[in-house]
Amino acid sequence: MTVSGKTAVVTGSNSGIGLGVAQELARAGANVILNSFTDRPEDHALAESLAKEHGVAVRYIAADMSKGEDCRALIEKAGKCDILVNNAGVQYVAPIDEFPIEKWNAIIAINLTSAFHTTAAALPMMREAGWGRVVNIASAHGLTASPFKSAYVSAKHGIVGMTKTVALETAGQGITCNAICPGYVLTPLVEAQIPEQMKVHDMDRETVIREVMLERQPSRQFATVEQIGGTVVFLCSAAADQITGTTISVDGGWTAM
Ligand code: NAD
């Protein structure tokens, strides 16, 4: 079984890792639904250019992953969902005693609860088709912690737990559910953390990148969005039919330490 002709829904896919995953799935022949909370001409233009580049059908559907009804509507509007990649995510860095409650709520909603809603909406379609793949983009922070990231670490550990539960509930049904745990990938989300980290650690940009961000990534290299996308395509291949309920780290050795 290949992804050719399958329909893949990738949440939070108008930039960064989500877009990289969408690119690799389209390159492998899947039809793709792109998503974010915006509804701008450039979002739809992105879908058109991806379709043209890879000769597959690509649609952009606006839906806010902080809202349960939007999450479920995304899957319903897609009409078909063979591959679900729960990727939408946001970050905020602050000590727990100064962590704004609205930031905590937003991170838990977008990084964790959205996957509950999209997975619940997509599983009946997958069961009907007798085949399905749920891939959750967790993080090295789904397996380990860092200071100042209480909400993010909680959400990512939560999604690793949900991955195992969904795998057990779908075992033997032609459906798998796994989590990919990237280390640092240079995307807008990481770029946005640099000024906050510079403030928290009182360091300049280069020192924060080398000493703080990549300090725990033994390769001292960022992972790429193509590598994350390639791992998703592998998890959708027949070779991965019996891989379910697990995590795959793409982190340059971070969690080996
Ligand atoms: P990014 O900021 O480039 O992309 C995040 C995507 O989510 C964007 O498309 C954004 O529009 C979308 N999004 C944000 N809020 C949304 C909402 N309310 N509704 C719908 N879409 C929304 O960030 P990224 O680095 O590509 O992160 C993607 C995922 O990868 C996240 O879950 C993140 O936690 C995870 N991750 C990233 C890294 C990294 O180093 N970049 C490492 C580990 C895990």
Side-chain angles (χ1 to χ4, degrees):
M1 190 77 77
T2 71
V3 302
S4 187
K6 302 284 187 203
T7 297
V9 177
V10 185
T11 71
S13 47
N14 65 352
S15 83
I17 291 174
L19 182 55
V21 168
Q23 283 271 11
E24 294 310 309
L25 284 167
R27 194 188 313 284
N31 300 316
V32 177
I33 308 291
L34 296 177
N35 154 263
S36 186
F37 58 93
T38 52
D39 201 2
R40 308 164 302 181
E42 56 262 45
D43 295 320
H44 296 274
L46 190 60
E48 248 172 65
S49 78
L50 206 61
K52 209 175 275 172
E53 187 182 345
H54 299 293
V56 294
V58 183
R59 264 196 298 156
Y60 178 87
I61 300 178
D64 184 345
M65 293 299 103
S66 70
K67 299 186 176 127
E69 62 276 18
D70 271 35
C71 298
R72 289 174 189 258
L74 169 65
I75 303 301
E76 278 152 29
K77 285 182 190 163
K80 191 169 179 264
C81 182
D82 304 302
I83 299 162
L84 171 63
V85 183
N86 289 307
N87 167 79
V90 290
Q91 172 66 287
Y92 190 81
V93 180
I96 193 162
D97 48 333
E98 292 168 21
F99 212 94
I101 180 68
E102 59 280 7
K103 294 288 184 192
W104 169 277
N105 286 338
I107 290 173
I108 299 297
I110 297 166
N111 298 21
L112 177 60
T113 311
S114 69
F116 159 70
H117 290 293
T118 54
T119 304
L123 283 184
M125 295 179 183
M126 294 179 181
R127 288 197 174 106
E128 175 91 24
W131 190 91
R133 293 286 190 263
V134 180
V135 183
N136 296 321
I137 306 300
S139 168
H141 284 115
L143 304 168
T144 184
S146 293
F148 314 123
K149 296 185 177 176
S150 54
Y152 189 82
V153 168
S154 301
K156 294 301 186 182
H157 275 68
I159 203 153
V160 168
M162 196 196 302
T163 299
K164 296 177 188 176
T165 305
V166 171
L168 295 178
E169 292 185 16
T170 56
Q173 298 171 12
I175 299 167
T176 68
C177 179
N178 293 289
I180 296 176
C181 295
Y184 274 107
V185 186
L186 194 56
T187 64
L189 182 124
V190 169
E191 191 61 53
Q193 286 176 51
I194 297 174
E196 291 168 35
Q197 291 278 10
M198 284 167 64
K199 204 163 71 189
V200 168
H201 295 280
D202 192 23
M203 288 176 178
D204 66 24
R205 180 185 166 86
E206 291 316 309
T207 313
V208 151
I209 291 175
R210 196 183 54 249
E211 304 294 333
V212 179
M213 302 181 100
L214 294 183
E215 186 261 334
R216 296 174 71 183
Q217 198 146 308
S219 67
R220 300 277 169 144
Q221 291 164 340
F222 283 111
T224 68
V225 299
E226 291 79 10
Q227 290 162 354
I228 309 301
T231 307
V232 171
V233 172
F234 164 69
L235 284 171
C236 293
S237 72
D241 274 355
Q242 291 301 318
I243 298 177
T244 194
T246 195
T247 56
I248 298 188
S249 291
V250 184
D251 66 2
W254 177 340
T255 49
M257 294 210 292

